[in-house]
Amino acid sequence: MIKSFQPPQRVLMGPGPSDVSPRVLEAMSRPTIGHLDPEFIRMMDELKALLKQTFLTENELTMPVSAPGSAGMEACFVNLVEPGDKVIVCQNGVFGGRMKENVERFGGEVVLVSDEWGTPVSVDKVKAAFETHPDTKILAFVHAETSTGVRSDAKSLCAIAKEYDALTIVDAVTSLGGSELRMDEWGIDAIYSGSQKCLSCPPGISPVSFSEKAVEKVQSRESRTPSWFLDKKLVMGYWGGDGKRAYHHTAPVNSLYALHESLVILQEEGLENSWARHAKHHEALKAGLEAMGISFLVEEAYRLPQLNSVMIPEGVDDAAVRSALLSNFGLEIGAGLGALAGKVWRIGLMGAACNRRNVTLCLSALESTLAEMGAPIKTGQALVAAAAVYQG
Amino acid sequence: MIKSFQPPQRVLMGPGPSDVSPRVLEAMSRPTIGHLDPEFIRMMDELKALLKQTFLTENELTMPVSAPGSAGMEACFVNLVEPGDKVIVCQNGVFGGRMKENVERFGGEVVLVSDEWGTPVSVDKVKAAFETHPDTKILAFVHAETSTGVRSDAKSLCAIAKEYDALTIVDAVTSLGGSELRMDEWGIDAIYSGSQKCLSCPPGISPVSFSEKAVEKVQSRESRTPSWFLDKKLVMGYWGGDGKRAYHHTAPVNSLYALHESLVILQEEGLENSWARHAKHHEALKAGLEAMGISFLVEEAYRLPQLNSVMIPEGVDDAAVRSALLSNFGLEIGAGLGALAGKVWRIGLMGAACNRRNVTLCLSALESTLAEMGAPIKTGQALVAAAAVYQG
């Protein structure tokens, strides 16, 4: 006989999921109601309004996809890429590679702009790619690369696309709520995010938004979208603005309660205050880690405050350290992905997990664990260095 | 400022979501942990074992899709239909139509076998379709049509497909846990269900299972699956049996806690006991409704105990009744879908909602509401008729 599952209490400082506020967990356990209940529909309207505030957009087609971030990505590509469309895909980490896979599976022609992992998308290379391929229909790039902790210059990249009248698809899975992101001001046409990063909600939902221009492309496409579940033409009937809620699929009711609550919390704090909070705790974490002699993968100007990729000190056993942090402190930090596996740790400071208690725990637990393993680090200085940031 | 959302307390007797046990809601609100946490991976193994017990299958590829039932449907079709494949699709309600859409979107050739809404899939027509199209690759049908409340003869239909060496894709969204379903014994190759029907879990997760023969087709397909999120070749790396858990997408951690708990509850009751419970309360509800003079859409032999489609009495305002039930009793029953809109109500008796208290509430509330509206029903006999079933 299998028994009820009682998860351990962790502190989640990996690349997501991040710590979930007790308020959000409690919201998720409220009574399930029907997906066509008038009260639920009222909640959906509020959810749309909250998401618009968070993406900083006026887009009518702003809604949560009923599945994780990868499905949000797919919702953008499967609706906007038509067979034969030329798409410039920028790859500087795992998720750019996934975009490329998406375009190929939906019959698009990929023009790849590659940059080294740990560096941002090169604005110059994108410019050059458009000069060579002025008939490009879509520019796709990752704003915040979760695999490396790099922020790319979304504003400048979108401006180039605009010159060529191309649509933009932007991965904001890790940036939404954690650092500056202005959908309308920057001219982003399609964006997707995830519930489990800086929104600090359990994983499983992917907020997306489509500009009017993107909606036009969806409405006018000649070929049928090769997905029923993600077909925006159909989904709009349920989430659309015309007041009629046609049944499409059964919405994940309780997961949406959770997202709603997490967005209410973000609204209470204020979006820009949240960005500032992420920046502040990142500074403290950075000061502490550097005081230990641990360096960052990414150049300072392109670092994401919410996701810190740091070099694993020489000779240190990656898995042993993460395992010790988990079993001795209940602390999760992330491993490197793909080419960076074994080389970096990814320390998240996302949403509810981004606070002084966690910064201090992470520095203490890491110093204590590395010291115990005889790693080549400087001890006794990290906490003071972090404290100085908080005082300053 | 938007405030926290406090849903009303409903009794969910529509076509799903159904009432969720407080145990499941509480499980959903347990602390979120990482999707690669060793404790989470242990829970995943238990979840797979529980799903196998529920589908009555030994299939290694048995897992929850991280999205609602429509995505589970799509996971079956997008992986198993290759361009040009001939697929016999049986349509006797809304969901057979959705299967047809799936096949077309993935480039398959549909051979449609149509039956009237409210009747089961005709075994003879399917036999004839195979005789005319012996090169058919896949037979797809809905075991339990949620739009009509009809059960089709899955065992006989699968036996025909086997004669022609065709794969079978079966929609078991509403049947799983609520009425007899034997995946391996009946020879089903790919099946999908939903969390929010007889498993009584919040909506958002779709359990699926693929037979060895279905997995072979996935492994040997020539064209790339036109979905990254649902590509079983990739998903198997995370959910597969080789012990290695390669990151694919971030699993919806808390929603899986809920599914785990609901399956533990089902295991405690016993699968066949659950089927019997659904049958018993259906009998009581039926006796009560018939005593009121309300008749069923579906012939007795093909009725689903968990979903009762009943004819709306002459001259009664469909929406007004449902709205009165909701506001005066907090009771949700379902409207008709598609061709049956305005003609039938769909009364669910699913999972935790399938109990004597709900049967009694539904009969009382309906009688009281219809009497108040002056509808042509017999009053004063329904409760006695239902009680007789419980006594007998």
Side-chain angles (χ1 to χ4, degrees):
Chain A
M1 291 289 276
I2 290 169
K3 292 199 209 111
S4 293
F5 176 65
Q6 297 293 347
Q9 179 75 56
R10 305 292 197 206
V11 174
L12 300 179
M13 298 182 72
S18 61
D19 278 349
V20 176
S21 152
R23 269 178 67 179
V24 172
L25 290 174
E26 186 272 317
M28 200 168 194
S29 70
R30 289 178 192 151
T32 306
I33 61 176
H35 58 291
L36 296 169
D37 193 297
E39 280 298 295
F40 188 70
I41 285 168
R42 191 176 63 75
M43 194 281 287
M44 287 167 68
D45 288 336
E46 290 185 357
L47 198 43
K48 277 177 71 167
L50 288 163
L51 283 175
K52 285 185 188 178
Q53 288 173 25
T54 312
F55 280 125
L56 293 176
T57 183
E58 295 297 323
N59 293 337
E60 183 47 41
L61 186 54
T62 302
M63 48 160 284
V65 168
S66 304
S70 327
M73 176 189 284
E74 196 151 314
C76 293
F77 285 92
V78 82
N79 280 287
L80 294 173
V81 175
E82 282 196 274
D85 276 0
K86 204 176 261 187
V87 183
I88 297 179
V89 176
C90 307
Q91 185 178 15
N92 62 334
V94 167
F95 296 94
R98 195 172 289 186
M99 286 179 151
K100 177 172 169 283
E101 275 248 17
N102 266 263
V103 174
E104 288 167 357
R105 284 175 192 243
F106 306 133
E109 186 191 323
V110 173
V111 176
L112 196 66
V113 171
S114 291
D115 283 289
E116 223 177 304
W117 287 38
T119 66
V121 172
S122 155
V123 174
D124 289 337
K125 285 189 194 168
V126 170
K127 235 179 238 166
F130 269 109
E131 279 160 18
T132 317
H133 304 278
D135 56 337
T136 293
K137 295 280 176 58
I138 297 169
L139 167 67
F141 64 90
V142 178
H143 180 221
E145 243 303 342
T146 318
S147 62
T148 63
V150 159
R151 180 183 55 75
S152 287
D153 181 354
K155 190 177 175 183
S156 303
L157 293 169
C158 289
I160 303 168
K162 202 115 298 182
E163 277 176 47
Y164 290 85
D165 202 30
L167 290 171
T168 46
I169 298 179
V170 175
D171 178 325
V173 170
T174 287
S175 49
L176 185 69
S179 46
E180 188 182 19
L181 172 67
R182 301 178 186 278
M183 183 168 194
D184 286 1
E185 198 181 313
W186 295 353
I188 297 170
D189 291 300
I191 201 165
Y192 57 92
S193 190
S195 52
Q196 80 282 15
K197 310 279 182 181
C198 297
L199 303 182
S200 264
C201 207
I205 302 291
S206 177
V208 301
S209 182
F210 278 44
S211 73
E212 261 178 52
K213 206 172 138 196
V215 172
E216 269 164 38
K217 167 113 191 200
V218 173
Q219 300 287 16
S220 66
R221 62 178 289 155
E222 282 162 30
S223 60
R224 197 141 49 141
T225 305
S227 171
W228 188 94
F229 174 57
L230 297 172
D231 186 342
K232 284 281 164 249
K233 275 196 208 177
L234 303 176
V235 178
M236 275 188 259
Y238 182 55
W239 279 97
D242 62 356
K244 223 182 118 229
R245 300 290 180 181
Y247 165 61
H248 174 256
H249 66 274
T250 304
V253 175
N254 293 62
S255 298
L256 295 181
Y257 293 168
L259 182 62
H260 182 281
E261 186 68 20
S262 75
L263 292 169
V264 166
I265 293 173
L266 183 56
Q267 179 197 244
E268 286 168 6
E269 177 177 21
L271 185 59
E272 304 210 354
N273 292 337
S274 175
W275 298 346
R277 175 169 54 86
H278 284 83
K280 186 181 76 184
H281 294 295
H282 159 74
E283 285 302 324
L285 181 72
K286 182 185 78 154
L289 290 169
E290 288 179 345
M292 249 186 266
I294 290 176
S295 60
F296 278 68
L297 170 73
V298 178
E299 246 185 77
E300 189 149 7
Y302 309 112
R303 281 180 206 158
L304 288 168
Q306 60 272 51
L307 188 58
N308 300 271
S309 287
V310 299
M311 309 308 296
I312 299 176
E314 201 75 30
V316 165
D317 181 342
D318 167 24
V321 170
R322 285 186 293 108
S323 174
L325 291 172
L326 200 64
S327 47
N328 298 334
F329 301 89
L331 173 64
E332 178 177 279
I333 65 168
L337 262 190
L340 294 172
K343 296 189 183 139
V344 304
W345 288 315
R346 291 179 299 155
I347 303 177
L349 280 173
M350 297 178 179
C354 182
N355 60 55
R356 185 164 175 177
R357 187 174 61 237
N358 282 3
V359 167
T360 309
L361 168 68
C362 180
L363 291 171
S364 319
L366 201 57
E367 181 172 318
S368 151
T369 303
L370 290 172
E372 199 180 316
M373 293 186 176
I377 56 153
K378 283 175 259 175
T379 56
Q381 295 168 38
L383 294 179
V384 176
V389 171
Y390 287 116
Q391 281 157 356
Chain B
M1 290 289 275
I2 290 170
K3 292 200 209 108
S4 294
F5 176 66
Q6 298 293 347
Q9 178 76 54
R10 305 291 196 207
V11 174
L12 300 179
M13 298 183 72
S18 61
D19 278 349
V20 177
S21 152
R23 269 178 69 179
V24 172
L25 289 174
E26 185 273 315
M28 201 166 193
S29 70
R30 289 177 192 153
T32 307
I33 61 176
H35 58 291
L36 297 168
D37 192 299
E39 280 298 296
F40 187 70
I41 284 168
R42 190 176 65 73
M43 194 279 286
M44 288 167 69
D45 289 335
E46 291 185 355
L47 198 43
K48 278 179 71 168
L50 289 162
L51 284 175
K52 285 184 187 178
Q53 288 172 25
T54 312
F55 280 125
L56 292 177
T57 184
E58 294 296 323
N59 293 337
E60 182 48 41
L61 186 54
T62 302
M63 48 161 283
V65 167
S66 304
S70 329
M73 176 190 282
E74 197 151 314
C76 292
F77 285 92
V78 81
N79 281 287
L80 294 173
V81 176
E82 282 195 274
D85 277 0
K86 203 175 262 187
V87 183
I88 297 179
V89 175
C90 307
Q91 188 178 13
N92 62 334
V94 168
F95 296 92
R98 195 173 290 184
M99 285 180 150
K100 175 171 170 285
E101 275 249 18
N102 266 263
V103 174
E104 288 167 356
R105 283 173 191 243
F106 306 133
E109 187 192 323
V110 173
V111 176
L112 196 65
V113 171
S114 290
D115 283 289
E116 224 178 302
W117 287 38
T119 66
V121 172
S122 156
V123 174
D124 288 338
K125 284 190 195 168
V126 169
K127 234 179 238 167
F130 267 109
E131 278 161 19
T132 317
H133 303 279
D135 56 336
T136 293
K137 295 281 175 59
I138 297 170
L139 168 67
F141 65 89
V142 178
H143 180 220
E145 244 302 342
T146 318
S147 62
T148 63
V150 160
R151 180 184 53 77
S152 287
D153 181 354
K155 191 178 173 181
S156 302
L157 293 169
C158 289
I160 304 169
K162 202 116 298 182
E163 278 176 44
Y164 290 85
D165 203 31
L167 290 172
T168 46
I169 299 179
V170 176
D171 179 324
V173 169
T174 287
S175 49
L176 186 68
S179 46
E180 189 182 17
L181 173 66
R182 301 178 187 276
M183 181 167 195
D184 286 0
E185 197 181 314
W186 294 352
I188 297 169
D189 290 301
I191 201 165
Y192 56 93
S193 190
S195 52
Q196 80 282 14
K197 309 278 182 181
C198 297
L199 303 182
S200 262
C201 206
I205 302 291
S206 177
V208 301
S209 183
F210 279 43
S211 72
E212 260 177 52
K213 208 172 137 195
V215 172
E216 268 164 37
K217 168 114 190 200
V218 174
Q219 298 288 16
S220 66
R221 63 179 286 154
E222 280 161 31
S223 60
R224 196 138 55 139
T225 305
S227 169
W228 187 93
F229 173 55
L230 296 172
D231 186 342
K232 284 284 165 244
K233 275 196 209 179
L234 303 176
V235 178
M236 277 188 256
Y238 182 55
W239 278 97
D242 63 355
K244 225 182 117 229
R245 300 290 180 180
Y247 165 62
H248 175 255
H249 66 274
T250 304
V253 175
N254 292 63
S255 298
L256 295 181
Y257 294 168
L259 182 61
H260 183 280
E261 187 68 20
S262 73
L263 293 170
V264 166
I265 292 173
L266 183 56
Q267 179 199 241
E268 287 168 4
E269 177 177 20
L271 185 59
E272 304 210 354
N273 292 337
S274 175
W275 297 347
R277 175 170 53 87
H278 284 82
K280 185 181 77 183
H281 294 294
H282 158 75
E283 286 303 324
L285 181 71
K286 183 185 75 153
L289 290 169
E290 286 178 346
M292 246 185 266
I294 292 178
S295 61
F296 279 68
L297 170 72
V298 179
E299 248 186 75
E300 189 148 8
Y302 309 113
R303 280 179 206 158
L304 288 169
Q306 61 273 52
L307 189 58
N308 300 271
S309 287
V310 300
M311 309 309 296
I312 298 175
E314 202 74 30
V316 165
D317 181 341
D318 168 24
V321 172
R322 287 185 291 108
S323 174
L325 291 174
L326 200 65
S327 48
N328 298 335
F329 301 89
L331 173 64
E332 178 178 279
I333 66 168
L337 263 191
L340 296 172
K343 297 189 181 138
V344 304
W345 288 316
R346 290 180 298 156
I347 304 178
L349 279 173
M350 297 179 178
C354 181
N355 60 55
R356 186 162 175 178
R357 186 175 62 235
N358 282 3
V359 167
T360 309
L361 168 68
C362 179
L363 291 171
S364 320
L366 201 56
E367 180 171 318
S368 151
T369 303
L370 289 172
E372 198 179 316
M373 293 185 177
I377 56 153
K378 284 174 259 175
T379 56
Q381 295 167 37
L383 293 180
V384 175
V389 171
Y390 287 116
Q391 281 158 356

